[in-house]
């Protein structure tokens, strides 16, 4: 519900608020996908664990269920962690900002969002170097890539599922992108609010 | 030094704690020029969550969501009411006992205070109890959540300390019962002071009906604790089975839960779990980086220069935890404390890891009910529409009772470790 009021705030006339309005719409649209996705993933974790109990009780345990349940939970965690940036529900110590006047608190909030953006940019750089997409594209094979770079990201197997781990690691770049977009929209909201306060 | 000061600065500025941890790890890497570490950063963050025990966390949160929608809490309370209503101050004990039963289903103080405020406070006020005292008793009852199994804090402690979560749950039972006993004494005292009323006595037919109605609901805590104590199921499996049971009881027996409730329950559980899980992932990166600085070893040397007595160490730790708990939530505090202090406690002072875990979790929960940052306190105040200052004053006897339990566990470790030895 909170994003609706933010939208109303953002759609007031002014050059800055139009840009912030667009970023807010993108962020909210992503959140609309993230919420059900995280919920479905948790439902899958639940179903997998029930399946585990049932198959074990029938003395025919399926050995890969546990590992798959863990990866599903991790996906849900990263999708949810991004969503919580949109909903602003991460745990933070707001003792100091709460004591300050609203405008100064907003300056702090802008700083916090800038820090988040900085984090996601560094994280993107780190992930880019780890996934190394350009070198992979130009390598003859994944094997040749691993041998040339000593980066075994594309070789790492899962223990029981029979898939490479890279498929599960792919949630990290998704998290990085969506987290960045949410933080960016949050930043523009605060700046728009600060500008309006000045005018 | 750079790492420590940027850490404190970022926390105070209001940056979410999980991101403080993740960002500080970057700052440390940059400060030391150890850029090779960056190549494993993503893998460490992901790997921090690759843990079977952690699966219990979203599942117990999910269980809470279904319990909330399925009308199970109300029946547990009616059951206690039918048998204890006619005692002087009966509703106050009913509140506490319902909290005890809820604690054996839910693992979170705030979730429990939310549900119990809605159930118990209006009932108590109608019966003539002062509203502020009712709210305070409800808030205090929430303190049982993190110590009576299943407990979210125990799950996180077990994962970070790498000890079996089932055994930790068992270690919490005796301290939990001690707290319950002390709270009964406090309520008896409050009952004299504020002249708690009696409710009308229930007939045996009414009692029988309340019992019959509550029986399926009591099945759930019995299922959880029984299967873990008996070694039949892991805590993760117990949570899954209990959730299935809660869905069955809510839909088929009580008919209060419908398929329409499923979507919100799963989404809420995913959101709440994600906050905690991402915190754990970020903490993994953080503690992986600080091990390069050898922080635990430095802390150990420093502490040893102050005292060599385990009891004195634990008392100092309690003081530190109390301060930390006042300004932050228990989960981030736990995540910060364990990697640094647990190795010191076990290796240097020879303290049992389970004793350490019970003390840390119980102490940090106190912070939920103390100002200035007390999520549980403000939840109770908000739900009960009473001033937070008033509740903070009224719960002092309850907090004192917990402090006594904490001291007893410090001086008599077997209170936390004894039952585990008998059952295991």
């Amino acid at each position: 519900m909170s994003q609706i009021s933010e939208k109303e705030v953002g759609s007031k006339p002014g050059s800055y608020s139009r840009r912030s309005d667009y970023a807010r719409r993108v962020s909210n649209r992503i959140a609309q996908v993230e919420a059900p996705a995280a919920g479905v993933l948790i439902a899958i974790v639940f179903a997998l664990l029930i399946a585990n109990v049932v198959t074990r009780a029938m003395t025919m345990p399926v050995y890969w269920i546990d590992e798959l349940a863990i990866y599903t939970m991790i996906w849900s965690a990263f999708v949810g962690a991004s969503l919580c940036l949109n909903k602003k529900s991460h745990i933070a110590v707001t003792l100091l900002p709460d004591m300050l006047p609203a405008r100064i608190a907003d300056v702090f909030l802008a700083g916090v969002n800038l820090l988040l953006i900085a984090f996601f940019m560094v994280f993107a750089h780190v992930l880019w170097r780890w996934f190394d997409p350009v070198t992979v594209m130009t390598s003859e094979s994944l094997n040749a890539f691993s041998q040339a770079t000593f980066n075994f990201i594309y070789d790492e197997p899962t223990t029981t599922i029979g898939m490479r781990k890279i498929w599960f690691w792919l949630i990290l770049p998704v998290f990085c992108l969506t987290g960045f977009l949410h933080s960016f929209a949050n930043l523009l909201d605060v700046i728009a609010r600060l500008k309006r306060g000045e005018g | 030094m750079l790492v420590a000061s940027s850490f404190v600065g970022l926390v105070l500025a209001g940056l979410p704690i999980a991101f403080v941890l993740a960002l500080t790890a970057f700052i440390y890497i940059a400060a030391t020029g150890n850029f090779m570490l960056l190549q494993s950063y993503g893998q460490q963050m992901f790997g921090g969550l690759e843990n079977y025990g952690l699966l219990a966390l979203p599942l117990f949160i999910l269980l809470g969501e279904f319990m909330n929608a399925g009308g199970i809490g109300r029946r547990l309370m009616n059951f206690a009411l039918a048998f204890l209503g006619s005692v002087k101050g009966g509703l106050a004990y009913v509140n506490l006992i319902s909290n005890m039963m809820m604690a054996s289903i839910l693992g979170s103080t705030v979730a429990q205070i939310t549900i119990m405020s809605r159930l118990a406070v209006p009932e108590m006020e109608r019966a003539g109890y002062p509203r502020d005292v009712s709210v305070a008793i409800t808030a205090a009852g929430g303190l049982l959540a993190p110590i009576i199994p299943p407990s979210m804090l125990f799950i996180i402690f077990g994962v970070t300390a790498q000890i079996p979560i089932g055994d930790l749950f068992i270690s919490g039972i005796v301290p939990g019962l001690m707290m319950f006993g002390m709270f009964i004494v406090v309520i008896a005292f409050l009952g004299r002071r504020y002249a708690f009323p009696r409710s009308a006595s229930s007939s045996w037919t009414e009692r029988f009906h309340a019992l019959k109605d509550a029986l399926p609901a009591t099945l759930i805590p019995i299922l959880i604790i029984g299967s873990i104590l008996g070694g039949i199921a892991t805590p993760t499996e117990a949570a899954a089975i209990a959730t299935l049971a809660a869905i069955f009881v809510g839909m088929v027996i009580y008919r209060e839960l419908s398929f329409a409730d499923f979507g919100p329950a799963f989404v809420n559980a995913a959101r709440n779990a994600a906050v905690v899980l991402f915190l754990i992932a970020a903490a993994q990166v953080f503690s992986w980086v600080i091990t390069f600085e050898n922080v635990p070893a430095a802390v150990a040397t420093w502490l040893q220069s102050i005292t060599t007595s385990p009891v004195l160490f634990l008392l100092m730790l309690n003081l530190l935890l109390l301060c930390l708990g006042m300004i932050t939530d228990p989960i981030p505090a736990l995540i910060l404390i364990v990697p640094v202090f647990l190795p010191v406690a076990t290796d240097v002072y020879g303290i049992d890891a389970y004793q350490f875990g019970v003390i840390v979790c119980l102490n940090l929960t106190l912070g939920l009910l103390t100002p200035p940052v007390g999520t549980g306190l403000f939840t109770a105040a908000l739900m009960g529409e009473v001033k937070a200052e008033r509740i903070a004053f009224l719960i002092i006897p309850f907090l004192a009772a917990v402090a006594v339990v904490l001291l007893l566990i410090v001086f008599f470790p077997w209170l936390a470790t004894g039952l585990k030895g008998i059952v295991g």
Side-chain angles (χ1 to χ4, degrees), chain A residues 74 77-78 80-82 84 89-93 175, chain B residues 7 11 15-23 41 44-45 48-49 54 57 153 156 159-160 271-287 328-336 339:
Chain A
I74 297 177
F78 280 103
S82 165
C84 288
S89 49
H90 278 288
I91 302 175
V93 177
F175 165 70
Chain B
F7 187 91
V11 168
L15 186 66
I17 294 173
F19 289 94
V20 173
L21 291 165
L23 201 58
Y41 189 99
Q44 285 290 338
M45 187 177 256
L49 297 178
L54 267 187
L57 205 123
L153 282 178
I156 296 164
V159 168
T160 34
R271 270 182 63 176
N272 292 332
V275 170
V276 180
L277 289 173
F278 183 64
L279 201 51
I280 294 171
Q284 163 65 26
V285 181
F286 180 75
S287 52
T328 179
D329 276 351
I331 292 170
L334 183 69
I335 285 171
L336 291 177

Side-chain angles (χ1 to χ4, degrees), chain B residues 65-153:
Chain B
E65 291 290 335
F66 280 118
M67 292 276 309
N68 201 359
I72 291 173
R74 199 181 67 236
R75 270 144 182 122
L76 289 176
M77 195 170 128
N78 283 343
F79 166 61
L81 184 63
F83 283 84
L84 280 168
S86 57
V87 181
K88 182 177 166 64
L91 263 176
Y93 297 109
V94 167
N95 185 344
L96 189 65
I97 290 171
S98 314
N99 259 307
M100 180 85 167
M101 290 193 273
M102 292 296 278
S104 62
I105 300 169
L106 300 172
S108 145
T109 301
V110 176
Q112 190 167 316
I113 291 176
T114 311
I115 295 178
M116 287 307 295
S117 304
R118 229 176 282 152
L119 288 174
V121 175
E123 191 83 21
M124 288 175 81
E125 206 182 8
R126 221 173 299 137
Y129 288 77
R131 176 193 276 259
D132 49 359
V133 180
S134 314
V135 175
I137 292 173
T138 310
L143 285 174
L144 293 167
I147 204 78
I148 303 276
S151 142
M152 216 125 79
L153 282 178

Side-chain angles (χ1 to χ4, degrees), chain A residues 96-108 194:
Chain A
L96 187 60
D98 285 349
M99 290 189 303
L100 299 168
R103 279 190 58 80
I104 301 176
D106 268 351
V107 174
F108 264 76
L194 283 169

Side-chain angles (χ1 to χ4, degrees), chain B residues 332-343:
Chain B
L334 183 69
I335 285 171
L336 291 177
I337 283 289
V338 174
V340 179
F341 286 93
L342 180 67

Side-chain angles (χ1 to χ4, degrees), chain A residues 84-137:
Chain A
C84 288
L85 284 167
N86 175 276
K87 305 285 181 202
K88 302 174 185 80
S89 49
H90 278 288
I91 302 175
V93 177
T94 54
L95 195 60
L96 187 60
D98 285 349
M99 290 189 303
L100 299 168
R103 279 190 58 80
I104 301 176
D106 268 351
V107 174
F108 264 76
L109 194 57
V112 162
N113 282 306
L114 269 175
L115 284 167
L116 284 171
I117 288 168
F119 165 78
F120 282 113
M121 283 165 78
V122 179
F123 193 41
H125 171 74
V126 165
L127 289 175
W128 180 269
R129 283 191 18 179
W130 186 35
F131 281 79
D132 207 358
V134 175
T135 321
V136 172
M137 297 291 195

Side-chain angles (χ1 to χ4, degrees), chain B residues 212-233:
Chain B
K212 208 179 73 179
D213 205 27
L215 216 52
T218 50
L219 186 80
I220 291 162
I222 292 170
L223 216 86
I224 296 172
I225 299 190
S227 62
I228 297 171
L229 269 181
I232 303 162

